[in-house]
Amino acid sequence: MNAVFRTMTIQGFCLSMALLPGLLQKVNAQEIYAGRYKAVFTSTPRKVPTSKTPDGPLAGNGDIGLTLGGDPDKLRFYLGKNDFWRAYPVYPGGGIALPGWLEMNIPALAGADYYAEQIQDKAQIAARFTKDSLSVSVKTWVSATTNTVVVELGTNRPCSVDFALKAAEGNTSVNAEGVEAGTHWVTRSFENTPLLAWPSHVAIAVKVLGTTPGNGGSITLKPGTQTTLVVTMYSNHDSKDWKQKAITGAKTTTPAKLNQLRKEHYAWWAKYWSRSSVQIGDPFLEKYYYASQYLFGATSRAGKFAPGIWGPFITRDSAAWGGDYHLNYNYQAPYWAAYSSNHIDETDNFDKPLLDYMQSGKQHAKELLGIRGIYYPVGIGPMGLVTTRWPLTADEMEKRYASRENTIDGGYKFLGQKINAVFSVGNMLMRFYSTYDAAYARKVYPYMHECANFWEDYLKFENGRYVIYMDHYNEVMPNLKNKGQWRQLLGDFNSTLSVGLVKMLFKGMIDVSGFLNVDTERRPKWEHIVKHMSQFTVREVDGKPSLKGVESSPSPIHSGVEGLARVSIHGLVLPGGVCGPVTDPAFNQVLLGDVSRWKDKMKAPGEWANTLGNGVETCFPAAVRVGYDADEVMKQLTDRIKRQSLPNLWITAEGGGIETLSAVPLTINEMMMQSYEGVIRIFPNWNRTKNASFNQLRAYGAFLVSSDLQEGKIGVVKLWSEAGRPCRIENPWPGRPVQLLRNGKKAERLSGSTFTFATSPGERLQLIDSL
């Protein structure tokens, strides 16, 4: 295997992005990597339906999500959709909603054995249910290229099946159903309700191929004959003719068309898997690495609505936290691994809801704070929707939050935090630095510009440094636990979260404005802010330096020294990226010391870094970035997964859903290659006695990087320069000269601990240990 990989990465190096998938498929990358692993289910899912993460087999196309639930005799195919929202601004009551489901009753399978597989390289679910001598097979997949779900049925004995298409009801929705030319359809709509920001409509239709259904949706399965149910689903955000499009889509599906969809589906996923790969010699973590990549690919897609907290895997109305876009990390985190994993297309939907809310954000800043820029509440939705207004009546406010004051901050939940808008700049900068795409930079620059306006006005310059008042490390709000008494907790000064994210913002403004050649006259101010931002607060605990989350705070917890933790990591390391072993080695040692003390707080396996509630996607890759022992990180990550994950290989957290999908991929990617500090580092935090390899991880500077480590020696380092940027890289072979090859021909000899060389767009480069 390793020899094959080395031949592939050296001789089969890509010449253009268009050639990447084909070149990788020469070694059948999806079978070598993702194809090894699948999720296996031997019992009926128990967390379907749920308001949080379902535990059943999953399939999706980044817009439609399919969750298989129910017993063998009463199967339920729950159909979620990223763009079907009840656009109501108050929580609870608004948020993403369940369109409906396909139910399939097979009485002969009552009490049958349950077996299903979530086959990730092909993005399909294959199940077999057996009772006595009867065996029924069910294969289902969500077309990667259309709004179509396919359910294929087979049997070894004649068997009756009753199926029905159901739209979810209630919560002010309007429903309809009917039959057109043998095609069953249902609709669900939210409209004509006070305060709805916009109407939402969805239609689901089903057609049977292979047999003619009887009255009421009854079919008979026969041995040697495949029966297929084709389900199509469209919303008014897909098409003005959403209902007819769903009906026509199902009605006009033929076996030939279905075969074409299947080919396109497999081709899409083969291309997806060809974008990058890793091998680390740890089957357990590799399994979750590729499962997380699969689930993200099934969750997010360019040109579609961005996924909320639970993605499209919605199995009931009233999803926790409305399934919205929570802006103080939950919305941003699922994308973090996609940049280095070279899944840039799947991040393309991230920015639109943020851009759509800008006008409201400007109004909030002006009306509530009297300053320029944009000021965002904690939760928003698509198309300019806010999802987190306080309850409309004082009575409801008192019931839920033990306070009758429902006019806090004009009725919007900012929860004491000013960073909700700037937090998303972290993702924008990750993509910018990873691609140097001018069109993308122009798209997001207005948003970044308004963030800069906000913080220019909000920052205070005191005693030679910029300081931040009243931006809080954690959410501050009335609730039942504090009996509605909360204002005494306001007053954080220089939270590490705030200081780090604001420094990240202005560093990014300097870089992006320079790249676009705009706002030249404002850069001196931004440079002054970066240079004079307050330092992160460090205190001593038991004679050892440790990070303090807030310079000063009325909170008893934050008045103490907590050390590096999830929230401070967000400002400093991820997504902040303003600290690290290259940027400030001395301060990095403080952070590394804090990470080393995480074990002291554990009471049981899986509790390292305190991530059972939130933070598995933050703390583990951050520990790698600051240089904590890789073997220990992998051990603790393994324990954390075993402590809290589901049969569908979704790592769970109490406070969030799809955010955890970045945890394993980003942790492993950062062990293989780092570039967030502007220097590419090969195997920067990996046990050099363990063989490993990676292919086409994406580095800052718009480089695709491949290399391997065999018997303690790093092999050839391959780079493909997408944008022709200068390449700064740490010498993979310290103290040794390096031969650079350009497009296969010898070029410069390089030396030193770190070196920089020019590149051209589309140039392929190789670094070889010349001794």
Side-chain angles (χ1 to χ4, degrees):
M1 171 60 68
N2 291 322
V4 171
F5 178 83
R6 183 172 292 186
T7 300
M8 174 185 68
T9 56
I10 293 177
Q11 297 180 358
F13 198 85
C14 53
L15 301 180
S16 71
M17 285 296 291
L19 294 177
L20 288 178
L23 286 169
L24 280 173
Q25 287 176 46
K26 290 180 180 178
V27 292
N28 206 0
Q30 69 270 26
E31 291 294 335
I32 291 176
Y33 305 115
R36 291 180 183 171
Y37 305 115
K38 58 189 176 184
V40 176
F41 305 78
T42 57
S43 61
T44 298
R46 296 304 177 194
K47 295 183 178 180
V48 181
T50 178
S51 62
K52 292 187 175 183
T53 306
D55 63 345
L58 304 173
N61 66 2
D63 176 32
I64 294 172
L66 168 68
T67 305
L68 180 60
D71 293 308
D73 60 322
K74 296 179 180 179
L75 295 174
R76 300 293 181 270
F77 300 79
Y78 291 90
L79 302 170
K81 203 167 189 301
N82 277 339
D83 65 5
F84 188 62
W85 289 61
R86 184 174 189 265
Y88 186 70
V90 178
Y91 175 78
I96 196 166
L98 173 66
W101 62 91
L102 173 70
E103 60 183 43
M104 192 177 297
N105 298 325
I106 311 175
L109 289 179
D113 292 336
Y114 189 106
Y115 182 83
E117 296 178 347
Q118 181 178 284
I119 304 173
Q120 289 152 179
D121 59 323
K122 294 181 173 60
Q124 63 189 28
I125 299 167
R128 183 171 296 278
F129 308 113
T130 305
K131 182 180 180 182
D132 301 327
S133 60
L134 173 64
S135 179
V136 175
S137 65
V138 180
K139 184 169 76 172
T140 183
W141 45 281
V142 182
S143 168
T145 57
T146 67
N147 292 36
T148 302
V149 177
V150 181
V151 181
E152 301 169 341
L153 305 172
T155 184
N156 66 335
R157 289 176 50 197
C159 179
S160 296
V161 178
D162 295 321
F163 72 91
L165 200 58
K166 300 288 187 178
E169 299 179 352
N171 201 18
T172 74
S173 70
V174 177
N175 298 70
E177 62 180 310
V179 179
E180 182 176 313
T183 298
H184 298 245
W185 59 266
V186 296
T187 65
R188 189 182 193 198
S189 298
F190 295 107
E191 57 183 344
N192 302 325
T193 300
L195 290 183
L196 280 186
W198 29 265
S200 283
H201 308 282
V202 67
I204 315 173
V206 60
K207 177 184 179 180
V208 179
L209 299 178
T211 188
T212 301
N215 294 332
S218 176
I219 56 178
T220 299
L221 305 183
K222 298 178 180 179
T225 301
Q226 179 173 285
T227 301
T228 302
L229 279 71
V230 178
V231 180
T232 53
M233 179 161 61
Y234 285 87
S235 75
N236 59 313
H237 307 296
D238 293 316
S239 171
K240 291 181 180 179
D241 300 323
W242 50 277
K243 176 182 172 182
Q244 194 57 46
K245 194 169 181 67
I247 295 170
T248 302
K251 187 169 59 175
T252 60
T253 299
T254 63
K257 184 176 179 180
L258 191 59
N259 286 336
Q260 182 60 34
L261 285 182
R262 185 181 289 104
K263 290 178 182 178
E264 294 172 357
H265 174 77
Y266 289 155
W268 191 96
W269 279 98
K271 182 178 179 181
Y272 179 82
W273 291 119
S274 74
R275 290 295 181 183
S276 65
S277 59
V278 302
Q279 288 181 282
I280 58 172
D282 185 323
F284 182 86
L285 287 180
E286 279 189 10
K287 182 175 184 175
Y288 280 88
Y289 182 98
Y290 288 106
S292 296
Q293 301 279 32
Y294 164 72
L295 292 171
F296 182 73
T299 293
S300 182
R301 195 64 48 89
K304 301 296 184 179
F305 276 35
I309 292 175
W310 315 106
F313 300 108
I314 301 300
T315 55
R316 55 172 291 183
D317 275 359
S318 303
W321 297 284
D324 72 354
Y325 306 151
H326 249 54
L327 298 182
N328 54 1
Y329 101 90
N330 307 82
Y331 178 59
Q332 298 87 352
Y335 295 89
W336 287 344
Y339 304 105
S340 58
S341 296
N342 196 27
H343 291 303
I344 298 298
D345 286 351
E346 283 64 50
T347 71
D348 199 55
N349 54 23
F350 173 79
D351 311 291
K352 192 174 189 309
L354 302 164
L355 300 178
D356 287 347
Y357 200 78
M358 283 181 63
Q359 189 57 44
S360 295
K362 289 180 182 179
Q363 291 177 339
H364 297 327
K366 181 179 180 180
E367 295 172 3
L368 299 177
L369 299 176
I371 61 177
R372 300 175 300 153
I374 51 177
Y375 179 34
Y376 281 24
V378 68
I380 66 171
M383 300 173 61
L385 175 69
V386 62
T387 60
T388 48
R389 289 190 53 183
W390 294 106
L392 300 181
T393 68
D395 288 345
E396 184 67 17
M397 182 76 186
E398 184 173 36
K399 176 182 176 181
R400 294 190 175 277
Y401 300 103
S403 168
R404 298 185 63 80
E405 187 181 4
N406 66 336
T407 58
I408 302 166
D409 291 330
Y412 295 85
K413 291 183 181 179
F414 293 91
L415 307 187
Q417 296 187 316
K418 309 298 188 299
I419 48 80
N420 291 316
V422 73
F423 213 126
S424 292
V425 173
N427 287 46
M428 294 173 179
L429 290 174
M430 286 182 188
R431 177 165 174 174
F432 168 72
Y433 290 132
S434 297
T435 64
Y436 278 86
D437 180 337
Y440 178 75
R442 286 191 291 269
K443 181 175 80 169
V444 299
Y445 188 74
Y447 181 94
M448 295 175 58
H449 189 274
E450 292 300 334
C451 286
N453 286 340
F454 179 94
W455 285 100
E456 280 189 37
D457 288 3
Y458 193 79
L459 288 170
K460 304 295 183 185
F461 190 63
E462 297 177 354
N463 301 318
R465 64 173 183 158
Y466 289 93
V467 299
I468 301 174
Y469 290 92
M470 295 292 287
D471 190 14
H472 293 83
Y473 185 87
N474 281 332
E475 299 171 350
V476 183
M477 60 181 287
N479 55 47
L480 297 177
K481 185 176 181 180
N482 62 30
K483 299 180 181 179
Q485 302 300 309
W486 61 285
R487 279 193 166 84
Q488 75 278 8
L489 298 175
L490 294 172
D492 281 4
F493 175 68
N494 276 348
S495 158
T496 53
L497 175 64
S498 313
V499 172
L501 290 178
V502 172
K503 188 173 184 178
M504 171 201 74
L505 166 68
F506 286 107
K507 287 181 68 176
M509 290 302 299
I510 295 166
D511 292 338
V512 180
S513 68
F515 178 72
L516 295 176
N517 195 25
V518 295
D519 286 330
T520 305
E521 73 285 355
R522 295 186 66 176
R523 279 180 229 151
K525 171 70 172 180
W526 298 338
E527 291 167 353
H528 191 265
I529 291 173
V530 171
K531 184 177 181 180
H532 294 90
M533 277 299 297
S534 293
Q535 298 296 308
F536 302 113
T537 305
V538 175
R539 297 289 185 264
E540 284 197 357
V541 177
D542 297 329
K544 298 177 181 179
S546 183
L547 183 72
K548 192 171 186 290
V550 181
E551 187 169 333
S552 65
S553 172
S555 165
I557 295 176
H558 301 319
S559 294
V561 182
E562 300 175 83
L564 185 67
R566 174 177 63 88
V567 176
S568 51
I569 286 170
H570 288 154
L572 277 64
V573 184
L574 179 70
V578 295
C579 301
V582 175
T583 303
D584 188 342
F587 182 62
N588 190 73
Q589 286 298 310
V590 175
L591 305 183
L592 185 56
D594 279 341
V595 172
S596 70
R597 289 187 282 276
W598 286 351
K599 290 180 68 174
D600 299 340
K601 302 176 183 179
M602 294 175 60
K603 296 181 180 179
E607 296 181 357
W608 192 71
N610 189 30
T611 68
L612 296 177
N614 297 102
V616 63
E617 73 295 317
T618 301
C619 295
F620 284 90
V624 174
R625 281 190 170 188
V626 301
Y628 191 66
D629 181 76
D631 287 344
E632 185 64 25
V633 172
M634 293 173 71
K635 175 186 179 301
Q636 297 293 349
L637 182 55
T638 298
D639 287 346
R640 168 61 177 82
I641 294 169
K642 290 179 178 179
R643 174 77 176 265
Q644 200 167 279
S645 60
L646 299 175
N648 54 30
L649 307 183
W650 193 325
I651 303 165
T652 54
E654 293 302 318
I658 63 172
E659 66 204 49
T660 65
L661 303 184
S662 63
V664 178
L666 187 56
T667 298
I668 300 303
N669 289 355
E670 293 292 320
M671 289 178 174
M672 301 291 101
M673 186 270 293
Q674 290 179 22
S675 63
Y676 76 100
E677 294 180 278
V679 180
I680 297 173
R681 304 168 64 213
I682 307 300
F683 296 105
N685 191 0
W686 183 254
N687 183 339
R688 296 293 180 89
T689 67
K690 294 183 177 180
N691 293 348
S693 60
F694 63 92
N695 191 44
Q696 295 182 167
L697 294 185
R698 181 173 284 269
Y700 282 13
F703 296 98
L704 296 182
V705 187
S706 305
S707 189
D708 64 350
L709 176 69
Q710 302 294 327
E711 299 179 356
K713 179 177 174 56
I714 293 176
V716 175
V717 177
K718 309 288 301 260
L719 301 102
W720 184 77
S721 177
E722 188 174 73
R725 301 286 302 176
C727 180
R728 187 176 179 218
I729 186 167
E730 186 178 274
N731 191 337
W733 307 280
R736 301 164 73 91
V738 176
Q739 178 66 58
L740 174 64
L741 275 64
R742 295 181 181 272
N743 295 321
K745 298 180 180 179
K746 284 188 176 182
E748 304 97 305
R749 283 176 65 87
L750 307 169
S751 62
S753 59
T754 302
F755 38 76
T756 303
F757 52 88
T759 74
S760 301
E763 188 173 24
R764 55 188 178 94
L765 306 139
Q766 300 178 29
L767 297 177
I768 300 174
D769 182 357
S770 62
L771 292 183

